[in-house]
């Protein structure tokens, strides 16, 4: 089968739910609206309040920017597919969606990693925190978090684009490199090696680093007062919840790609597939908005100012 711009992929994981597609569309649209509103609120509050112009809150705002980026790369197409009888996606649109979703996933991990570094220095070396986590360091870490995944995922997508394909059916509700590689007419050994290296750099290394930093934080907390432990717990808990939820969501998505699709309940497979692109963007603003008093207080302050202005 030729690789040309007229080629379309068929997303076959969409379950025929008949009339229930309309309630599913409404629920999905509401989720998308909540994600947009909540993450925009976090970005707005951190941008407007000078008291929140600190590394931890700037990294939280970066997470919200990334949540908006990933959600807008997934939801519009997903909402259209829910109401459509056919689920064909053009080749350029498919690879664009792959790039957005995969970079979104990588950005989340790299941002969570630099947040772990920030918490590690704040807890384990507080006297040198302002010397180590300077504005210049924050800018460099943020640039690294965005640039490194952009190039590594770009390389994976480039290799996938070059594959000659012998089919067009993707067992997925959105495009994924692994599913496309399974349609290849030729060996994908190069793609597999590069994919393994990229996975190691963008997933395994951040995972190991976050686990290491929290191990060190736990050791420090054991030697300090209960008040110190409570303060560390308050600032680190949201990051821990997000990291665990993201890891579980990512694991479910990877496992779904490797499992025998035919042995899974179709609805269960769809839920596993959607968890990866819905749960992290939804949890990020809700957890930080509820768990960090500074953000919560300033959200109410900004909203009250807006309403009083009206």
């Amino acid at each position: 089968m030729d690789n040309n711009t007229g080629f379309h992929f068929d997303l076959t994981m969409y379950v025929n739910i008949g009339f229930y597609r309309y309630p599913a569309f409404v629920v999905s649209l509401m989720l998308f609206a909540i994600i947009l509103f909540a993450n925009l609120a976090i970005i707005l509050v951190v941008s407007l309040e000078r008291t929140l112009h600190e590394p931890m809150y700037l990294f939280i705002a970066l997470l919200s920017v990334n949540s908006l980026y990933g959600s807008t790369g997934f939801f519009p197409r997903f909402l259209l597919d829910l109401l459509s009888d056919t689920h064909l996606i053009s080749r350029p649109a498919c690879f664009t969606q792959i790039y957005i979703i995969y970079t979104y996933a990588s950005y989340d991990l790299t941002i969570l990693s630099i947040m772990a570094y920030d918490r590690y220095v704040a807890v384990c070396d507080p006297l040198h925190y302002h010397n180590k986590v300077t504005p210049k360091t924050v800018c460099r870490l943020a640039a690294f978090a965005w640039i490194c995944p952009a190039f590594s995922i770009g390389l994976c997508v480039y290799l996938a684009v070059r594959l000659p394909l012998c089919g067009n059916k993707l067992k997925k509700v959105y495009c994924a490199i692994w599913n496309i590689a399974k349609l290849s007419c030729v060996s994908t050994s190069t793609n597999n090696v590069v994919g393994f290296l990229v996975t190691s750099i963008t997933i395994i290394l951040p995972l190991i680093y976050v686990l290491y930093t929290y191990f060190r934080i736990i050791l420090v907390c054991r030697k300090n007062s209960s008040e110190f432990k409570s303060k560390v717990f308050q600032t680190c808990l949201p990051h821990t919840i997000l990291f665990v939820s993201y890891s579980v969501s990512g694991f479910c998505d990877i496992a779904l790609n490797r499992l025998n699709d035919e042995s899974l309940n179709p609805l269960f497979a769809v839920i596993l597939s959607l968890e990866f692109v819905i749960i992290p963007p939804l949890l990020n603003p809700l957890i930080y908005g509820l768990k960090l008093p500074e953000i919560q207080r300033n959200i109410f302050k900004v909203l009250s100012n807006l309403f009083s202005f009206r």
Side-chain angles (χ1 to χ4, degrees), residues 41-94:
I42 294 288
I43 296 168
L44 184 65
V45 166
V46 172
S47 300
L48 294 179
E49 292 298 323
R50 295 187 62 84
T51 57
L52 298 182
H53 289 181
E54 298 178 11
M56 182 175 69
Y57 302 112
L58 294 176
F59 294 144
I60 292 171
L62 275 182
L63 273 181
S64 289
V65 170
N66 190 47
S67 295
L68 293 179
Y69 168 71
S71 297
T72 52
F74 167 73
F75 270 101
R77 172 74 203 191
F78 177 68
L79 291 170
L80 288 174
D81 280 323
L82 280 177
L83 298 181
S84 177
D85 293 323
T86 60
H87 306 102
L88 298 177
I89 181 170
S90 69
R91 181 182 175 85
C94 186

Side-chain angles (χ1 to χ4, degrees), residues 156-200:
C156 292
V157 173
Y158 170 74
L159 292 175
V161 168
R162 295 174 65 249
L163 290 174
L165 306 179
C166 292
N168 74 329
K169 296 186 181 299
L170 301 179
K171 193 72 174 178
K172 203 79 171 172
V173 293
Y174 56 85
C175 294
I177 288 180
W178 178 257
N179 299 78
I180 290 176
K182 290 192 288 189
L183 300 176
S184 175
C185 304
V186 298
S187 171
T188 58
S189 56
T190 301
N191 300 64
N192 293 336
V193 170
V194 173
F196 175 76
L197 292 175
V198 170
T199 300
S200 300

Side-chain angles (χ1 to χ4, degrees), residues 114-190:
I114 61 178
M115 290 177 74
Y117 169 75
D118 175 71
R119 292 299 85 205
Y120 166 73
V121 177
V123 174
C124 300
D125 196 10
L127 296 179
H128 298 93
Y129 177 79
H130 292 292
N131 292 329
K132 289 186 175 182
V133 188
T134 62
K136 184 180 290 187
T137 301
V138 171
C139 291
R140 287 176 177 173
L141 289 173
F144 170 79
W146 292 102
I147 294 172
C148 184
F151 281 102
S152 59
I153 298 300
L155 176 61
C156 292
V157 173
Y158 170 74
L159 292 175
V161 168
R162 295 174 65 249
L163 290 174
L165 306 179
C166 292
N168 74 329
K169 296 186 181 299
L170 301 179
K171 193 72 174 178
K172 203 79 171 172
V173 293
Y174 56 85
C175 294
I177 288 180
W178 178 257
N179 299 78
I180 290 176
K182 290 192 288 189
L183 300 176
S184 175
C185 304
V186 298
S187 171
T188 58
S189 56
T190 301

